[in-house]
Amino acid sequence: MRRHFPWITLVSLLVLVGMKDITFLSPENLVSLASDVVPLLIMAVGMTLVIYIGSIDLSSQSIANMATVLTTIALPSCGVAAGLLVIAVGLVFGAVSGVVTTRLKVPSFISTLAVGGIALSVGQYTSGQQALHMDTAQRRHAFGWMVGQTAGIPHELVLALLIVAVAWFIQTRMVPGRTFKAIGAGEPVVVASGIRVERYKILAFALSGMFAAIAGLVFSVRLSGGSPTLAEGFLLPAIVAVLVGGTPLTGGVGGVLNTLVGTMIVAVVRASMLYFSIPATGQQIFFGLVLIIAIATTIDRSKMRIVK
């Protein structure tokens, strides 16, 4: 039954909040709820690929923050190419995390934390440590397709679902995705089979950085600007979304679709705090507790005989 827990949890939460206010379950409200967590979903999808191999990426939030700044700065001169530039930068930062982890044998939580610090510094330096704003006409010309609605469905939500579909295809239908699962399930066996594990690990980190940059791009376009702290507070909910969705830190189980469910659980929990008059200051406390519970209930202890 463990693999069904995320769905059961999501449905239970929806029913619980719906009993408090039936309008919460209206299609319009649910679509709005999903649209609000689009950047979080994209960031969490990238992080899923790293956790899937049994590692962790703590640089996602900082890369997303940097991406909002770089998008805003590059927009006047590059137009829509600013998005491609930012995605490439995120890919490079993620790859650096992967190289430091695999080649220098630095634990992933240290390497990604360090790379995240570099990304934060780049965002602070290029922005002058202040909020930047996009020109409305330039934003509409370059990224107008990303905002607005069609038949009541926000374009950014469609974009997020397409990204989830691409990540799911990589995970389930391509050699890298299958190798990611094998690495998470039993890395020594994969190494013994002659597969170049380091290359696939670097790829997982690179994809995570790329998705974090896309999340920052969406954030920047949505809010028409950038700041080195714009995505602050997203790291913990993103990790929670991955774990409560059913992808444990030990890797090899779960995946992108699980994270989609986990992100909706996070969205419903955040909304329920408003319905039950829980102050915003209590959200991080709640997510911290959920993170501990999620790790304790999903981790495969057979892979961790000793905890340090």
Side-chain angles (χ1 to χ4, degrees):
M1 288 294 294
R2 177 177 292 182
R3 65 192 182 94
H4 298 294
F5 284 169
W7 288 103
I8 295 172
T9 301
L10 178 59
V11 172
S12 300
L13 287 172
L14 287 171
V15 171
L16 179 63
V17 183
M19 291 173 61
K20 178 72 174 180
D21 187 349
I22 191 61
T23 59
F24 179 80
L25 299 178
S26 66
E28 296 81 6
N29 186 68
L30 294 179
V31 169
S32 176
L33 189 68
S35 179
D36 286 341
V37 293
V38 161
L40 176 63
L41 172 60
I42 298 173
M43 185 187 300
V45 164
M47 192 176 295
T48 301
L49 299 178
V50 174
I51 294 179
Y52 202 46
I53 64 173
S55 298
I56 190 69
D57 187 356
L58 302 181
S59 67
S60 297
Q61 177 179 283
S62 296
I63 291 176
N65 280 325
M66 177 186 66
T68 67
V69 173
L70 296 182
T71 301
T72 306
I73 292 176
L75 179 61
S77 58
C78 299
V80 70
L84 299 177
L85 173 64
V86 166
I87 292 172
V89 171
L91 189 71
V92 170
F93 269 77
V96 170
S97 293
V99 170
V100 173
T101 299
T102 58
R103 302 292 169 82
L104 301 183
K105 307 301 180 183
V106 177
S108 58
F109 77 94
I110 293 295
S111 63
T112 56
L113 192 63
V115 170
I118 296 173
L120 176 62
S121 296
V122 171
Q124 290 176 332
Y125 177 78
T126 53
S127 68
Q129 299 192 35
Q130 60 183 355
L132 305 176
H133 301 281
M134 290 182 177
D135 179 85
T136 304
Q138 292 175 343
R139 168 178 170 267
R140 185 182 303 112
H141 177 72
F143 300 110
W145 53 272
M146 195 181 295
V147 296
Q149 298 183 352
T150 298
I153 306 297
H155 294 170
E156 58 184 346
L157 180 57
V158 175
L159 174 62
L161 294 178
L162 287 175
I163 290 174
V164 170
V166 170
W168 174 82
F169 184 81
I170 293 173
Q171 174 200 323
T172 61
R173 295 292 186 267
M174 297 182 68
V175 172
R178 295 171 181 173
T179 307
F180 292 162
K181 181 175 183 178
I183 293 172
E187 184 173 341
V189 177
V190 182
V191 173
S193 67
I195 295 176
R196 298 290 297 273
V197 171
E198 290 185 352
R199 293 182 179 180
Y200 289 99
K201 281 189 170 184
I202 293 173
L203 177 60
F205 281 99
L207 290 174
S208 180
M210 182 186 74
F211 283 123
I214 295 175
L217 171 64
V218 173
F219 226 146
S220 182
V221 173
R222 170 189 283 185
L223 300 180
S224 192
S227 166
T229 59
L230 196 62
E232 206 69 28
F234 268 58
L235 181 61
L236 186 57
I239 296 175
V240 169
V242 177
L243 296 183
V244 300
T247 304
L249 282 177
T250 44
V253 180
V256 172
L257 294 184
N258 294 70
T259 297
L260 176 61
V261 177
T263 303
M264 288 308 302
I265 291 175
V266 170
V268 174
V269 168
R270 290 171 64 177
S272 67
M273 291 186 180
L274 299 177
Y275 282 90
F276 291 100
S277 302
I278 299 175
T281 53
Q283 290 189 16
Q284 291 288 43
I285 297 174
F286 179 83
F287 283 129
L289 294 174
V290 171
L291 181 60
I292 294 173
I293 296 172
I295 293 175
T297 56
T298 62
I299 199 167
D300 185 354
R301 289 171 176 78
S302 65
K303 298 179 182 178
M304 301 182 66
R305 298 183 185 279
I306 300 175
V307 178
K308 298 184 179 180

